[in-house]
mmCIF file of all heavy atoms in Angstrom:
data_model
loop_
_atom_site.group_PDB
_atom_site.id
_atom_site.type_symbol
_atom_site.label_atom_id
_atom_site.label_comp_id
_atom_site.label_asym_id
_atom_site.label_seq_id
_atom_site.Cartn_x
_atom_site.Cartn_y
_atom_site.Cartn_z
ATOM 1 N N LEU X 1 103.544 -237.477 32.320
ATOM 2 C CA LEU X 1 103.054 -236.826 33.532
ATOM 3 C C LEU X 1 101.649 -237.328 33.809
ATOM 4 O O LEU X 1 100.805 -237.348 32.920
ATOM 5 C CB LEU X 1 103.041 -235.306 33.356
ATOM 6 C CG LEU X 1 104.396 -234.663 33.044
ATOM 7 C CD1 LEU X 1 104.207 -233.187 32.738
ATOM 8 C CD2 LEU X 1 105.353 -234.856 34.186
ATOM 9 N N ASP X 2 101.395 -237.719 35.025
ATOM 10 C CA ASP X 2 100.082 -238.230 35.397
ATOM 11 C C ASP X 2 99.339 -237.162 36.198
ATOM 12 O O ASP X 2 99.639 -236.925 37.358
ATOM 13 C CB ASP X 2 100.221 -239.503 36.217
ATOM 14 C CG ASP X 2 98.878 -240.108 36.593
ATOM 15 O OD1 ASP X 2 97.836 -239.619 36.111
ATOM 16 O OD2 ASP X 2 98.874 -241.075 37.368
ATOM 17 N N PHE X 3 98.388 -236.525 35.549
ATOM 18 C CA PHE X 3 97.582 -235.502 36.208
ATOM 19 C C PHE X 3 96.212 -236.043 36.611
ATOM 20 O O PHE X 3 95.300 -235.289 36.895
ATOM 21 C CB PHE X 3 97.384 -234.292 35.284
ATOM 22 C CG PHE X 3 98.654 -233.541 35.016
ATOM 23 C CD1 PHE X 3 99.240 -233.560 33.766
ATOM 24 C CD2 PHE X 3 99.267 -232.820 36.017
ATOM 25 C CE1 PHE X 3 100.401 -232.865 33.509
ATOM 26 C CE2 PHE X 3 100.438 -232.119 35.783
ATOM 27 C CZ PHE X 3 101.009 -232.145 34.526
ATOM 28 N N SER X 4 96.054 -237.344 36.649
ATOM 29 C CA SER X 4 94.741 -237.936 36.873
ATOM 30 C C SER X 4 94.112 -237.525 38.199
ATOM 31 O O SER X 4 92.908 -237.409 38.297
ATOM 32 C CB SER X 4 94.817 -239.458 36.781
ATOM 33 O OG SER X 4 95.683 -239.974 37.768
ATOM 34 N N LYS X 5 94.904 -237.321 39.226
ATOM 35 C CA LYS X 5 94.354 -236.925 40.523
ATOM 36 C C LYS X 5 94.627 -235.462 40.854
ATOM 37 O O LYS X 5 94.283 -234.989 41.930
ATOM 38 C CB LYS X 5 94.936 -237.810 41.633
ATOM 39 C CG LYS X 5 94.566 -239.270 41.502
ATOM 40 C CD LYS X 5 93.095 -239.462 41.714
ATOM 41 C CE LYS X 5 92.732 -240.934 41.627
ATOM 42 N NZ LYS X 5 91.312 -241.144 41.727
ATOM 43 N N ALA X 6 95.246 -234.741 39.940
ATOM 44 C CA ALA X 6 95.602 -233.348 40.202
ATOM 45 C C ALA X 6 94.369 -232.504 40.506
ATOM 46 O O ALA X 6 94.395 -231.649 41.389
ATOM 47 C CB ALA X 6 96.369 -232.761 39.028
ATOM 48 N N PHE X 7 93.287 -232.744 39.808
ATOM 49 C CA PHE X 7 92.081 -231.943 40.012
ATOM 50 C C PHE X 7 91.371 -232.316 41.311
ATOM 51 O O PHE X 7 90.562 -231.568 41.808
ATOM 52 C CB PHE X 7 91.136 -232.080 38.821
ATOM 53 C CG PHE X 7 91.642 -231.382 37.592
ATOM 54 C CD1 PHE X 7 92.465 -232.040 36.683
ATOM 55 C CD2 PHE X 7 91.324 -230.064 37.346
ATOM 56 C CE1 PHE X 7 92.934 -231.393 35.557
ATOM 57 C CE2 PHE X 7 91.799 -229.400 36.226
ATOM 58 C CZ PHE X 7 92.615 -230.075 35.334
ATOM 59 N N ASP X 8 91.689 -233.487 41.869
ATOM 60 C CA ASP X 8 91.107 -233.892 43.151
ATOM 61 C C ASP X 8 91.819 -233.244 44.329
ATOM 62 O O ASP X 8 91.279 -233.199 45.419
ATOM 63 C CB ASP X 8 91.204 -235.411 43.327
ATOM 64 C CG ASP X 8 90.324 -236.171 42.354
ATOM 65 O OD1 ASP X 8 89.386 -235.555 41.811
ATOM 66 O OD2 ASP X 8 90.586 -237.365 42.143
ATOM 67 N N LYS X 9 93.045 -232.766 44.118
ATOM 68 C CA LYS X 9 93.872 -232.342 45.238
ATOM 69 C C LYS X 9 94.256 -230.873 45.247
ATOM 70 O O LYS X 9 94.838 -230.410 46.209
ATOM 71 C CB LYS X 9 95.151 -233.188 45.253
ATOM 72 C CG LYS X 9 94.836 -234.652 45.472
ATOM 73 C CD LYS X 9 96.062 -235.498 45.466
ATOM 74 C CE LYS X 9 95.635 -236.939 45.689
ATOM 75 N NZ LYS X 9 96.659 -237.894 45.607
ATOM 76 N N VAL X 10 93.982 -230.132 44.202
ATOM 77 C CA VAL X 10 94.417 -228.741 44.148
ATOM 78 C C VAL X 10 93.681 -227.915 45.213
ATOM 79 O O VAL X 10 92.456 -227.922 45.280
ATOM 80 C CB VAL X 10 94.213 -228.136 42.736
ATOM 81 C CG1 VAL X 10 92.756 -228.109 42.332
ATOM 82 C CG2 VAL X 10 94.794 -226.751 42.660
ATOM 83 N N PRO X 11 94.437 -227.238 46.093
ATOM 84 C CA PRO X 11 93.797 -226.390 47.107
ATOM 85 C C PRO X 11 93.067 -225.215 46.435
ATOM 86 O O PRO X 11 93.584 -224.610 45.502
ATOM 87 C CB PRO X 11 94.964 -225.880 47.951
ATOM 88 C CG PRO X 11 96.090 -226.828 47.683
ATOM 89 C CD PRO X 11 95.889 -227.301 46.272
ATOM 90 N N HIS X 12 91.887 -224.901 46.910
ATOM 91 C CA HIS X 12 91.089 -223.837 46.311
ATOM 92 C C HIS X 12 91.839 -222.509 46.293
ATOM 93 O O HIS X 12 91.815 -221.793 45.292
ATOM 94 C CB HIS X 12 89.769 -223.669 47.060
ATOM 95 C CG HIS X 12 88.854 -224.835 46.885
ATOM 96 N ND1 HIS X 12 87.713 -224.979 47.640
ATOM 97 C CD2 HIS X 12 88.883 -225.902 46.053
ATOM 98 C CE1 HIS X 12 87.089 -226.096 47.282
ATOM 99 N NE2 HIS X 12 87.795 -226.672 46.328
ATOM 100 N N GLN X 13 92.513 -222.168 47.392
ATOM 101 C CA GLN X 13 93.214 -220.881 47.449
ATOM 102 C C GLN X 13 94.342 -220.814 46.426
ATOM 103 O O GLN X 13 94.559 -219.782 45.800
ATOM 104 C CB GLN X 13 93.745 -220.620 48.860
ATOM 105 C CG GLN X 13 92.648 -220.358 49.871
ATOM 106 C CD GLN X 13 91.740 -219.211 49.463
ATOM 107 O OE1 GLN X 13 92.182 -218.176 48.980
ATOM 108 N NE2 GLN X 13 90.439 -219.387 49.635
ATOM 109 N N ARG X 14 95.057 -221.914 46.237
ATOM 110 C CA ARG X 14 96.136 -221.928 45.243
ATOM 111 C C ARG X 14 95.560 -221.809 43.832
ATOM 112 O O ARG X 14 96.101 -221.095 42.987
ATOM 113 C CB ARG X 14 96.961 -223.201 45.358
ATOM 114 C CG ARG X 14 98.138 -223.197 44.380
ATOM 115 C CD ARG X 14 99.045 -224.376 44.555
ATOM 116 N NE ARG X 14 99.676 -224.301 45.864
ATOM 117 C CZ ARG X 14 100.148 -225.359 46.523
ATOM 118 N NH1 ARG X 14 100.073 -226.558 46.003
ATOM 119 N NH2 ARG X 14 100.713 -225.220 47.693
ATOM 120 N N LEU X 15 94.455 -222.485 43.573
ATOM 121 C CA LEU X 15 93.815 -222.388 42.264
ATOM 122 C C LEU X 15 93.373 -220.962 41.982
ATOM 123 O O LEU X 15 93.623 -220.425 40.892
ATOM 124 C CB LEU X 15 92.606 -223.329 42.199
ATOM 125 C CG LEU X 15 91.769 -223.266 40.936
ATOM 126 C CD1 LEU X 15 92.589 -223.672 39.712
ATOM 127 C CD2 LEU X 15 90.538 -224.149 41.071
ATOM 128 N N LEU X 16 92.769 -220.318 42.959
ATOM 129 C CA LEU X 16 92.319 -218.938 42.776
ATOM 130 C C LEU X 16 93.497 -217.988 42.561
ATOM 131 O O LEU X 16 93.408 -217.069 41.747
ATOM 132 C CB LEU X 16 91.475 -218.499 43.971
ATOM 133 C CG LEU X 16 90.136 -219.226 44.111
ATOM 134 C CD1 LEU X 16 89.502 -218.920 45.461
ATOM 135 C CD2 LEU X 16 89.201 -218.880 42.973
ATOM 136 N N LEU X 17 94.591 -218.229 43.257
ATOM 137 C CA LEU X 17 95.788 -217.410 43.066
ATOM 138 C C LEU X 17 96.329 -217.567 41.646
ATOM 139 O O LEU X 17 96.646 -216.589 40.974
ATOM 140 C CB LEU X 17 96.866 -217.791 44.084
ATOM 141 C CG LEU X 17 98.164 -217.006 44.016
ATOM 142 C CD1 LEU X 17 97.917 -215.538 44.365
ATOM 143 C CD2 LEU X 17 99.190 -217.608 44.951
ATOM 144 N N LYS X 18 96.401 -218.806 41.161
ATOM 145 C CA LYS X 18 96.898 -219.060 39.802
ATOM 146 C C LYS X 18 95.976 -218.423 38.762
ATOM 147 O O LYS X 18 96.443 -217.830 37.794
ATOM 148 C CB LYS X 18 97.006 -220.563 39.531
ATOM 149 C CG LYS X 18 98.035 -221.259 40.363
ATOM 150 C CD LYS X 18 99.419 -220.905 39.914
ATOM 151 C CE LYS X 18 100.446 -221.723 40.680
ATOM 152 N NZ LYS X 18 101.801 -221.430 40.266
ATOM 153 N N VAL X 19 94.676 -218.529 38.962
ATOM 154 C CA VAL X 19 93.713 -217.939 38.023
ATOM 155 C C VAL X 19 93.857 -216.425 38.018
ATOM 156 O O VAL X 19 93.826 -215.790 36.959
ATOM 157 C CB VAL X 19 92.270 -218.364 38.366
ATOM 158 C CG1 VAL X 19 91.255 -217.566 37.572
ATOM 159 C CG2 VAL X 19 92.082 -219.852 38.114
ATOM 160 N N SER X 20 94.071 -215.828 39.182
ATOM 161 C CA SER X 20 94.199 -214.364 39.251
ATOM 162 C C SER X 20 95.457 -213.881 38.537
ATOM 163 O O SER X 20 95.494 -212.765 38.036
ATOM 164 C CB SER X 20 94.191 -213.879 40.691
ATOM 165 O OG SER X 20 95.375 -214.255 41.356
ATOM 166 N N HIS X 21 96.493 -214.714 38.475
ATOM 167 C CA HIS X 21 97.734 -214.339 37.778
ATOM 168 C C HIS X 21 97.623 -214.508 36.260
ATOM 169 O O HIS X 21 98.546 -214.141 35.537
ATOM 170 C CB HIS X 21 98.918 -215.152 38.289
ATOM 171 C CG HIS X 21 99.362 -214.752 39.652
ATOM 172 N ND1 HIS X 21 99.716 -213.458 39.978
ATOM 173 C CD2 HIS X 21 99.496 -215.470 40.802
ATOM 174 C CE1 HIS X 21 100.057 -213.401 41.256
ATOM 175 N NE2 HIS X 21 99.931 -214.601 41.778
ATOM 176 N N CYS X 22 96.544 -215.069 35.778
ATOM 177 C CA CYS X 22 96.342 -215.267 34.333
ATOM 178 C C CYS X 22 95.497 -214.152 33.734
ATOM 179 O O CYS X 22 94.766 -214.362 32.776
ATOM 180 C CB CYS X 22 95.675 -216.613 34.079
ATOM 181 S SG CYS X 22 96.685 -218.012 34.526
ATOM 182 N N ASP X 23 95.557 -212.980 34.334
ATOM 183 C CA ASP X 23 94.754 -211.840 33.879
ATOM 184 C C ASP X 23 93.264 -212.165 33.855
ATOM 185 O O ASP X 23 92.521 -211.659 33.026
ATOM 186 C CB ASP X 23 95.224 -211.349 32.502
ATOM 187 C CG ASP X 23 96.598 -210.716 32.558
ATOM 188 O OD1 ASP X 23 96.941 -210.164 33.629
ATOM 189 O OD2 ASP X 23 97.326 -210.779 31.555
ATOM 190 N N THR X 24 92.860 -213.044 34.744
ATOM 191 C CA THR X 24 91.447 -213.369 34.888
ATOM 192 C C THR X 24 90.973 -212.680 36.154
ATOM 193 O O THR X 24 91.252 -213.137 37.247
ATOM 194 C CB THR X 24 91.238 -214.887 35.009
ATOM 195 O OG1 THR X 24 91.843 -215.511 33.891
ATOM 196 C CG2 THR X 24 89.778 -215.230 35.039
ATOM 197 N N ALA X 25 90.314 -211.590 35.986
ATOM 198 C CA ALA X 25 89.869 -210.826 37.150
ATOM 199 C C ALA X 25 88.395 -210.493 36.995
ATOM 200 O O ALA X 25 87.761 -210.854 36.022
ATOM 201 C CB ALA X 25 90.702 -209.560 37.284
ATOM 202 N N GLY X 26 87.902 -209.801 37.965
ATOM 203 C CA GLY X 26 86.524 -209.329 37.891
ATOM 204 C C GLY X 26 85.518 -210.450 37.959
ATOM 205 O O GLY X 26 85.566 -211.296 38.846
ATOM 206 N N THR X 27 84.627 -210.475 37.017
ATOM 207 C CA THR X 27 83.485 -211.378 37.026
ATOM 208 C C THR X 27 83.888 -212.846 36.988
ATOM 209 O O THR X 27 83.329 -213.660 37.717
ATOM 210 C CB THR X 27 82.555 -211.073 35.835
ATOM 211 O OG1 THR X 27 82.190 -209.697 35.889
ATOM 212 C CG2 THR X 27 81.307 -211.916 35.886
ATOM 213 N N VAL X 28 84.865 -213.190 36.155
ATOM 214 C CA VAL X 28 85.260 -214.598 36.022
ATOM 215 C C VAL X 28 85.872 -215.111 37.319
ATOM 216 O O VAL X 28 85.519 -216.185 37.804
ATOM 217 C CB VAL X 28 86.236 -214.798 34.842
ATOM 218 C CG1 VAL X 28 86.757 -216.219 34.807
ATOM 219 C CG2 VAL X 28 85.567 -214.439 33.534
ATOM 220 N N LEU X 29 86.780 -214.340 37.910
ATOM 221 C CA LEU X 29 87.399 -214.755 39.164
ATOM 222 C C LEU X 29 86.349 -214.845 40.272
ATOM 223 O O LEU X 29 86.351 -215.792 41.055
ATOM 224 C CB LEU X 29 88.518 -213.789 39.557
ATOM 225 C CG LEU X 29 89.323 -214.172 40.794
ATOM 226 C CD1 LEU X 29 89.983 -215.538 40.637
ATOM 227 C CD2 LEU X 29 90.377 -213.112 41.083
ATOM 228 N N ALA X 30 85.444 -213.906 40.328
ATOM 229 C CA ALA X 30 84.367 -213.925 41.332
ATOM 230 C C ALA X 30 83.478 -215.144 41.143
ATOM 231 O O ALA X 30 83.055 -215.777 42.113
ATOM 232 C CB ALA X 30 83.546 -212.646 41.254
ATOM 233 N N TRP X 31 83.205 -215.515 39.892
ATOM 234 C CA TRP X 31 82.374 -216.695 39.608
ATOM 235 C C TRP X 31 83.070 -217.954 40.116
ATOM 236 O O TRP X 31 82.429 -218.801 40.751
ATOM 237 C CB TRP X 31 82.112 -216.799 38.103
ATOM 238 C CG TRP X 31 81.309 -218.004 37.759
ATOM 239 C CD1 TRP X 31 79.961 -218.131 37.820
ATOM 240 C CD2 TRP X 31 81.805 -219.271 37.310
ATOM 241 N NE1 TRP X 31 79.591 -219.399 37.447
ATOM 242 C CE2 TRP X 31 80.700 -220.115 37.126
ATOM 243 C CE3 TRP X 31 83.079 -219.776 37.052
ATOM 244 C CZ2 TRP X 31 80.829 -221.427 36.695
ATOM 245 C CZ3 TRP X 31 83.204 -221.079 36.624
ATOM 246 C CH2 TRP X 31 82.091 -221.888 36.446
ATOM 247 N N ILE X 32 84.365 -218.086 39.863
ATOM 248 C CA ILE X 32 85.099 -219.269 40.310
ATOM 249 C C ILE X 32 85.147 -219.315 41.836
ATOM 250 O O ILE X 32 84.954 -220.371 42.443
ATOM 251 C CB ILE X 32 86.514 -219.305 39.692
ATOM 252 C CG1 ILE X 32 86.408 -219.482 38.175
ATOM 253 C CG2 ILE X 32 87.349 -220.425 40.307
ATOM 254 C CD1 ILE X 32 87.718 -219.333 37.430
ATOM 255 N N GLN X 33 85.373 -218.156 42.472
ATOM 256 C CA GLN X 33 85.373 -218.100 43.943
ATOM 257 C C GLN X 33 84.029 -218.549 44.494
ATOM 258 O O GLN X 33 83.965 -219.355 45.432
ATOM 259 C CB GLN X 33 85.682 -216.689 44.426
ATOM 260 C CG GLN X 33 87.128 -216.301 44.279
ATOM 261 C CD GLN X 33 87.372 -214.848 44.653
ATOM 262 O OE1 GLN X 33 86.613 -213.967 44.263
ATOM 263 N NE2 GLN X 33 88.441 -214.603 45.387
ATOM 264 N N ASP X 34 82.945 -218.032 43.942
ATOM 265 C CA ASP X 34 81.604 -218.408 44.400
ATOM 266 C C ASP X 34 81.329 -219.889 44.158
ATOM 267 O O ASP X 34 80.684 -220.554 44.969
ATOM 268 C CB ASP X 34 80.535 -217.575 43.696
ATOM 269 C CG ASP X 34 80.493 -216.142 44.175
ATOM 270 O OD1 ASP X 34 81.067 -215.849 45.247
ATOM 271 O OD2 ASP X 34 79.897 -215.312 43.470
ATOM 272 N N PHE X 35 81.818 -220.414 43.047
ATOM 273 C CA PHE X 35 81.613 -221.809 42.690
ATOM 274 C C PHE X 35 82.281 -222.738 43.708
ATOM 275 O O PHE X 35 81.740 -223.786 44.059
ATOM 276 C CB PHE X 35 82.175 -222.063 41.291
ATOM 277 C CG PHE X 35 81.940 -223.449 40.767
ATOM 278 C CD1 PHE X 35 80.685 -223.848 40.342
ATOM 279 C CD2 PHE X 35 82.983 -224.354 40.680
ATOM 280 C CE1 PHE X 35 80.464 -225.119 39.861
ATOM 281 C CE2 PHE X 35 82.784 -225.629 40.185
ATOM 282 C CZ PHE X 35 81.514 -226.009 39.778
ATOM 283 N N LEU X 36 83.453 -222.362 44.203
ATOM 284 C CA LEU X 36 84.205 -223.206 45.128
ATOM 285 C C LEU X 36 83.885 -222.940 46.594
ATOM 286 O O LEU X 36 84.063 -223.815 47.440
ATOM 287 C CB LEU X 36 85.713 -223.007 44.903
ATOM 288 C CG LEU X 36 86.250 -223.441 43.544
ATOM 289 C CD1 LEU X 36 87.712 -223.045 43.412
ATOM 290 C CD2 LEU X 36 86.066 -224.928 43.332
ATOM 291 N N HIS X 37 83.406 -221.748 46.913
ATOM 292 C CA HIS X 37 83.168 -221.349 48.305
ATOM 293 C C HIS X 37 81.982 -222.101 48.916
ATOM 294 O O HIS X 37 80.944 -222.280 48.290
ATOM 295 C CB HIS X 37 82.903 -219.840 48.382
ATOM 296 C CG HIS X 37 82.639 -219.375 49.771
ATOM 297 N ND1 HIS X 37 83.631 -219.256 50.715
ATOM 298 C CD2 HIS X 37 81.486 -219.020 50.387
ATOM 299 C CE1 HIS X 37 83.109 -218.848 51.848
ATOM 300 N NE2 HIS X 37 81.809 -218.696 51.672
ATOM 301 N N GLY X 38 82.175 -222.542 50.151
ATOM 302 C CA GLY X 38 81.075 -223.124 50.914
ATOM 303 C C GLY X 38 80.686 -224.535 50.524
ATOM 304 O O GLY X 38 79.629 -225.013 50.921
ATOM 305 N N ARG X 39 81.516 -225.236 49.768
ATOM 306 C CA ARG X 39 81.202 -226.616 49.388
ATOM 307 C C ARG X 39 81.411 -227.538 50.586
ATOM 308 O O ARG X 39 82.363 -227.401 51.335
ATOM 309 C CB ARG X 39 82.069 -227.069 48.222
ATOM 310 C CG ARG X 39 81.694 -226.369 46.950
ATOM 311 C CD ARG X 39 82.294 -227.071 45.748
ATOM 312 N NE ARG X 39 81.676 -226.570 44.540
ATOM 313 C CZ ARG X 39 80.586 -227.075 43.989
ATOM 314 N NH1 ARG X 39 80.004 -228.120 44.502
ATOM 315 N NH2 ARG X 39 80.073 -226.546 42.909
ATOM 316 N N THR X 40 80.502 -228.476 50.747
ATOM 317 C CA THR X 40 80.602 -229.453 51.823
ATOM 318 C C THR X 40 80.373 -230.850 51.247
ATOM 319 O O THR X 40 79.852 -231.006 50.138
ATOM 320 C CB THR X 40 79.555 -229.182 52.917
ATOM 321 O OG1 THR X 40 78.252 -229.198 52.333
ATOM 322 C CG2 THR X 40 79.798 -227.852 53.605
ATOM 323 N N GLN X 41 80.784 -231.840 52.031
ATOM 324 C CA GLN X 41 80.555 -233.221 51.607
ATOM 325 C C GLN X 41 80.428 -234.109 52.829
ATOM 326 O O GLN X 41 80.849 -233.753 53.921
ATOM 327 C CB GLN X 41 81.699 -233.720 50.729
ATOM 328 C CG GLN X 41 83.018 -233.882 51.433
ATOM 329 C CD GLN X 41 84.139 -234.312 50.499
ATOM 330 O OE1 GLN X 41 84.063 -234.137 49.294
ATOM 331 N NE2 GLN X 41 85.190 -234.859 51.078
ATOM 332 N N LYS X 42 79.827 -235.264 52.620
ATOM 333 C CA LYS X 42 79.770 -236.288 53.655
ATOM 334 C C LYS X 42 79.820 -237.643 52.976
ATOM 335 O O LYS X 42 79.607 -237.751 51.764
ATOM 336 C CB LYS X 42 78.517 -236.158 54.524
ATOM 337 C CG LYS X 42 77.210 -236.489 53.826
ATOM 338 C CD LYS X 42 76.060 -236.393 54.804
ATOM 339 C CE LYS X 42 74.741 -236.676 54.118
ATOM 340 N NZ LYS X 42 73.647 -236.690 55.088
#
């Protein structure tokens, strides 16, 4: 299995949904949301 580009393409909302289903809630989930929210690039 080639996961080399998997981390480049995972949608933020899908990642957050998967993390929330792993009993990761509260502070950790909020930290990941804040980490991904509002990112920009050029």
Side-chain angles (χ1 to χ4, degrees):
L1 301 173
D2 182 7
F3 293 111
S4 61
K5 296 293 182 184
F7 289 89
D8 292 341
K9 297 179 180 175
V10 62
H12 292 170
Q13 291 304 318
R14 183 175 295 156
L15 176 62
L16 293 169
L17 181 65
K18 294 288 185 179
V19 170
S20 70
H21 287 305
C22 294
D23 292 331
T24 305
T27 305
V28 174
L29 185 58
W31 178 83
I32 294 172
Q33 286 175 316
D34 287 344
F35 184 74
L36 296 174
H37 179 74
R39 290 195 167 271
T40 57
Q41 68 183 21
K42 69 177 178 175

